[in-house]
Amino acid sequence: MHRRTALSVSAALLAAAPLLSACSGQAHPGTAAVVGGERITTSALQAQVNEVRSAQNRSDQGAQLIEATPRLDRSKLNRMIQSAVLERAAKDAGVSVTTKEIEDVRKAQLQQAGTPAALETAALQQAQLAPDQMDADTRFKLLRDKLFEHYGNQDKALEKLGAAAKALHVQVNPRYGRWDARQILLGDETTPWITQQTRPEQAPAGT
């Protein structure tokens, strides 16, 4: 089940470093965001950033890739929050993704790319994904596409995503910016849930 529909995600924002208060009102040091009462820790966020930076440093184009992703931390945090919102909306809709579906997409991507190295290079360059992040990215996109198919139109799906985001009471550490509940992204981001139609040759970034 090799899917290519319209939707992509990323992130945005500035810097400053106050602590984030969870729903209980208690400050939580080391918290990047609170989603549905669950903390996304700064250490978990930094681990994702470090994986990508390590992969970029191993690349022949490492300097250019790093220069092109100056705020990778907020991009990753945006995706982590959106993933939680998507999972909630999919659960509410009774939509799920199987391991086999993820494996089938990855096999199709590999066939198109030719070699594992070429596939990993494309994912890193096009979507800032380290090799170990590719399965989660595939799951995200399959789940997203299934949710849109379930509701039959984008407006309805976005409405449900918005409801899920509201129910999760997303709070973001101001260090990473402001959460835009209406567009379901970190405030300065220019790539909302539906904007980019991925071209066929870009399978790793938009399957």
Side-chain angles (χ1 to χ4, degrees), residues 171-193:
Q171 295 178 302
V172 176
N173 188 323
R175 171 183 179 181
Y176 302 101
R178 181 182 58 82
W179 174 251
D180 187 331
R182 181 178 179 185
Q183 297 195 62
I184 320 173
L185 48 73
L186 285 173
D188 296 339
E189 180 51 42
T190 57
T191 310
W193 284 81

Side-chain angles (χ1 to χ4, degrees), residues 3 8 17 33-34 52 63 70 98 101 109 111 120 129 133 142 146 151 155 157 163 165-166 172 177 183 190 192:
R3 302 168 181 272
S8 153
V34 176
V52 175
T98 67
E101 287 174 316
Q109 290 175 338
Q111 183 176 17
E120 290 177 4
L129 293 172
Q133 297 172 359
L142 281 171
K146 281 191 170 188
Y151 287 112
D155 288 344
K166 183 177 180 180
V172 176
Q183 297 195 62
T190 57

